[in-house]
Amino acid sequence: MAVSKTITIVGGALGGSCQLTLAFVPPTADFNSVVPVAWKVITLKDKDQFVYHWNDGPAAARAVIDTNTGIATPDEYTPIAVGQTSDLLLDRTVRPPVYSFTTPTTFQQKRARVMNRTGGYVDIGAGFITDLNTASEDVHIPIVLRRVNDQSPGYVEFTPVLKLWASLGFEESQLLDSSVNNVAPLWQGDLTKITGPSFTIKVKRDNLGRLVAEGPKSLNASSALSVFRQASGPNRPYTYTVELAFATPGLVVSGVTSIVNTLFPLGYQAKFTQKGYDTEGQIVLTLPEGVSCNQAELDTLGAIEANPTIYGKAYIKSHSGAVLISANNGLESWLEVNPAGPQWFGVTGQGENAAFDGANAEAFEQANAAADGTNGSDDPVDAPAKTEGRRKAATANTGADSNGAAESDASKFGSVRRSGGRRAVLV
């Protein structure tokens, strides 16, 4: 069942006006390849009220970026459900060339995928559609996937973590940059975890004159935690980083793409960094809850085995892990995980003490010693048995690129193109 929310922003006792920015910043946002957009920018005064609507039905759009202002505007778009895939095409036989989306078809992964088949780079907007199949239908793209390569996928579903800031200085629909991480939001929350069909955020000034926001699970500016830490639940978030080497520079992007596409169904999130035109690439995996760095490495090895290149398999040049130990006022502190220590294999009991809450330096040193395997027994810790089901899943998903035979209703999932403010279904 689709989830929808009505969001009401109300002005309390402000004593003047203030500028507010609302934006969706999912854990996958890196402000490089996955870039949040200033969804709404408003000027709020006493007793003002603004109402917005959101739903979790994914939509994909071709995003047009103004190179001077950074404003992202959706052009052609289509609704697409999780578990479906659509191709973005470009017809160069007409003037001007025409972009279009194919009718979404079934897809083996629990993701909403767009394949760029335009013959060049393209920016893909990820978002949702309000008032679908009505005269007031509109598409919203709060996330932009920048410069998606030809013959490469863009995944348009995202965790709807909404943030509310004051005085950011961005225009509505403008691409945000990582500087927003240095400003604590007045409020933030995962819309899928807020109960009820609607909620209200009241913005006002407290007795000290500070601007505050009151809403469900609201976070004051002095206590805002990172989205990454919130999304991780009660367990501390871990990352696994691997440096991969390939035979030629031309194999890096395609090789990494195949590997991470095999890991996505296992619950991993991935960030890829390419070292220019080189034979190496770095993957940083955000681990699913309960998965150790060792298991992440086994799954990565399985993905490498399942995706050989024409010159052989990728080679792991180096690896590392890290665990988040504190997050205060936007500053996150991470502790490196020793590959020879118990935490690498998911044995974390020895390392849980006051240091992980930033209590004091002495506790931190003790925790660091525990993570290095020096606090307690010196006996080696055996790695847990390999989870064969995960390895099989990693291998099995290499064939998950099939579009499937079942197609959705054309009236519901028709590709739409904007032209002078009008919308028309492309044939």
Side-chain angles (χ1 to χ4, degrees), residues 252-307:
V252 175
V253 173
S254 60
V256 168
T257 300
S258 298
I259 290 169
V260 298
N261 282 345
T262 305
L263 294 171
F264 282 144
L266 302 180
Y268 293 100
Q269 295 176 347
K271 176 182 177 181
F272 166 51
T273 301
Q274 188 175 5
K275 299 181 178 181
Y277 192 69
D278 200 355
T279 57
E280 298 176 11
Q282 181 192 77
I283 302 174
V284 180
L285 297 178
T286 302
L287 309 192
E289 188 173 319
V291 174
S292 67
C293 293
N294 183 66
Q295 184 60 57
E297 182 152 283
L298 294 176
D299 290 337
T300 301
L301 287 169
I304 292 172
E305 290 286 336
N307 294 281

Side-chain angles (χ1 to χ4, degrees), residues 184-204:
L186 299 177
W187 181 92
Q188 67 183 35
D190 184 342
L191 299 190
T192 61
K193 297 180 180 178
I194 294 177
T195 59
S198 63
F199 64 91
T200 299
I201 301 173
K202 185 176 183 179
V203 181
K204 63 178 185 177

